[in-house]
């Protein structure tokens, strides 16, 4: 039996099961994009927006044609992963702040981002690092 304290955010699952569920959806696109980073040396930023309501429509309105959105709902949580090809971390931060200011001003959201490396050796740890940052930010007082 899973204790309530062991549940991750509002997914109804533990963090381990949440990562496993996300990996099912994310692994193919992560492998494809890290290959392109390695082969063509194209910077790709990966942004995660965590919300408790569906904001995928708002995110799509702010994306470029080359950007890709992968939304995953687990329990009462929405994980919106946005791949930003040809984007360095500084520009990814500007993208995030633009979305927060123009689309998500009344919606509680947490985010984490970083540029993809040319290889991911452990997909589980890679996704878990994003979720760890989200969970840490969720605990901080507003």
């Amino acid at each position: 039996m899973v204790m309530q304290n062991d549940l991750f955010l509002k997914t109804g699952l533990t963090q381990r099961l949440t990562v496993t569920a996300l990996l099912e959806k994310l692994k193919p696109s992560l492998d494809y994009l890290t290959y392109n980073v390695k082969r063509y040396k194209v910077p790709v930023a990966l942004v995660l927006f965590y919300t408790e309501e569906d904001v995928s429509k708002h995110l799509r309105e702010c994306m470029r044609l080359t950007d890709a959105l992968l939304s995953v709902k687990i329990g009462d949580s929405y994980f919106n992963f946005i791949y930003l090809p040809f984007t360095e971390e500084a520009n990814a931060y500007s993208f995030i702040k633009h979305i927060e200011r123009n689309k998500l001003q009344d919606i509680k959201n947490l985010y984490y981002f970083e540029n993809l490396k040319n290889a991911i050796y452990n997909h589980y740890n890679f996704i878990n690092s994003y979720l760890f940052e989200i969970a840490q930010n969720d605990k901080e007082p507003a």
Side-chain angles (χ1 to χ4, degrees):
M1 179 176 196
V2 176
M3 300 299 292
Q4 192 68 13
N5 295 344
D6 294 336
L7 299 181
F8 182 71
L9 298 172
K10 294 198 178 190
T11 62
L13 302 173
T14 63
Q15 186 168 353
R16 184 177 70 76
L17 292 174
T18 301
V19 172
T20 303
L22 290 172
L23 270 177
E24 284 182 28
K25 304 283 186 188
L26 292 170
K27 192 173 181 321
S29 57
L30 282 173
D31 288 343
Y32 175 76
L33 287 168
T34 53
Y35 170 78
N36 283 318
V37 168
K38 183 177 184 175
R39 172 103 192 239
Y40 303 112
K41 299 185 181 15
V42 174
V44 177
L46 177 56
V47 178
L48 167 59
F49 278 101
Y50 167 78
T51 60
E52 293 175 9
E53 59 185 273
D54 188 7
V55 296
S56 58
K57 179 182 174 194
H58 298 303
L59 297 175
R60 279 191 186 89
E61 291 171 356
C62 295
M63 292 172 37
R64 305 169 298 191
L65 290 175
T66 57
D67 300 341
L69 172 66
L70 185 70
S71 295
V72 181
K73 181 182 188 294
I74 302 174
D76 292 333
S77 298
Y78 291 86
F79 299 90
N80 296 284
F81 289 89
I82 304 173
Y83 297 102
L84 303 170
F86 313 105
T87 306
E88 297 291 343
E89 284 184 358
N91 293 332
Y93 183 76
S94 297
F95 172 80
I96 292 165
K97 289 305 170 185
H98 171 77
I99 288 176
E100 284 189 322
R101 185 175 51 251
N102 295 315
K103 298 293 181 180
L104 304 179
Q105 64 269 20
D106 297 329
I107 300 170
K108 180 184 177 205
N109 71 87
L110 300 169
Y111 66 86
Y112 180 69
F113 69 99
E114 67 180 52
N115 272 28
L116 291 179
K117 308 296 183 235
N118 61 8
I120 297 175
Y121 299 105
N122 187 326
H123 288 79
Y124 183 87
N125 286 345
F126 178 76
I127 296 300
N128 202 37
S129 67
Y130 274 73
L131 297 184
F132 177 77
E133 292 294 330
I134 294 296
Q136 281 294 113
N137 290 334
D138 190 45
K139 292 177 185 173
E140 293 175 3

